[in-house]
Amino acid sequence: MCMCAGGACGYGNLYHQGYGLANAALSTALFNDGASCGQCYLIICDVGRSDMCRPGTAVTVSATNFCPPNYNLPSDNGGWCNPPRPHFDMSQPAWLNIGIYQAGIIPIVYQQVKCWREGGLRFTITGFNYFQLVLVTNMAGSGSIKSISVKGTTTGWIAMSRNWGANWQSLAGLVGQCLSFAITSSGGQYIVIQDVIPAWWQFGQTYSTWQQFDY
């Protein structure tokens, strides 16, 4: 179990970002170098393989962190996050929905499911001068981004690249321009968020929209 505050996706305070307490760090096999950040998984304890389950229960968690491998230990005895093993290192409040506290590790059945969020997408922009780092949070639907482009008032669409986790970067002079984003979710939905960031934006600020993903 982990508390999963902030972590390798870059979300920072998970509660303030809308992810609450039902979250998990993913093993290498699931994390996909950050491409899985924000995705949601329905998890059930496998009662056929353990007597430490809470029968008839399930929990849906958001992927918000990375559980690193420990190659000094075998994957079935301490190295739970070693590839190719799929593993969820869940927050304690989420884990206690399906497992008995004393168990620590339980066998599960899991499935990626639709994410449900309150409100629309949020964009936090950091960086300096010609380097913009944009963190997209509170994403519903598939929960994660396949590709994203940014457009300033005087530019065309500029493809962004993943820097780390859920942070995407652009190497363009966009200070003083309204910013729009074109996003394709990992589920294949395409949305344009027009002028979501005003021309007077500053680094370190967060901007939101009513727009949201369905898949």
Side-chain angles (χ1 to χ4, degrees):
M1 293 177 288
C2 74
M3 291 313 295
C4 305
C9 289
Y11 291 138
N13 187 308
L14 299 177
Y15 192 81
H16 291 163
Q17 293 286 20
Y19 295 99
L21 298 176
N23 47 73
L26 306 188
S27 63
T28 302
L30 295 171
F31 190 68
N32 196 19
D33 292 326
S36 298
C37 286
Q39 292 181 358
C40 295
Y41 296 85
L42 176 67
I43 300 177
I44 301 171
C45 185
D46 190 347
V47 295
R49 297 168 58 201
S50 174
D51 60 359
M52 302 299 282
C53 299
R54 296 185 187 274
T57 62
V59 65
T60 298
V61 299
S62 298
T64 57
N65 205 346
F66 172 58
C67 181
N70 183 352
Y71 295 112
N72 292 320
L73 296 173
S75 61
D76 60 351
N77 187 19
W80 307 110
C81 292
N82 294 350
R85 186 188 186 101
H87 181 83
F88 296 84
D89 193 11
M90 300 167 61
S91 66
Q92 183 173 318
W95 192 89
L96 289 175
N97 282 280
I98 61 171
I100 306 299
Y101 180 80
Q102 291 80 0
I105 300 293
I106 53 175
I108 62 167
V109 177
Y110 70 92
Q111 177 182 350
Q112 186 180 348
V113 295
K114 179 178 179 177
C115 297
W116 299 90
R117 310 289 185 206
E118 293 187 12
L121 298 170
R122 300 173 190 158
F123 300 84
T124 301
I125 184 166
T126 56
F128 56 90
N129 297 333
Y130 286 83
F131 173 72
Q132 296 83 40
L133 193 65
V134 177
L135 172 68
V136 184
T137 56
N138 202 48
M139 184 173 175
S142 61
S144 58
I145 293 174
K146 179 180 180 181
S147 63
I148 178 172
S149 297
V150 61
K151 182 180 182 297
T153 308
T154 62
T155 74
W157 287 106
I158 302 168
M160 304 183 76
S161 59
R162 188 185 304 278
N163 185 285
W164 65 281
N167 288 276
W168 295 77
Q169 70 177 29
S170 169
L171 304 176
L174 298 174
V175 175
Q177 300 186 50
C178 290
L179 303 183
S180 305
F181 295 93
I183 302 176
T184 301
S185 72
S186 58
Q189 185 177 3
Y190 177 79
I191 291 180
V192 174
I193 304 96
Q194 191 72 32
D195 296 333
V196 63
I197 297 181
W200 55 87
W201 63 266
Q202 295 182 357
F203 290 111
Q205 295 182 330
T206 299
Y207 303 88
S208 60
T209 176
W210 57 268
Q211 291 175 263
Q212 190 54 277
F213 282 87
D214 294 315
Y215 60 90

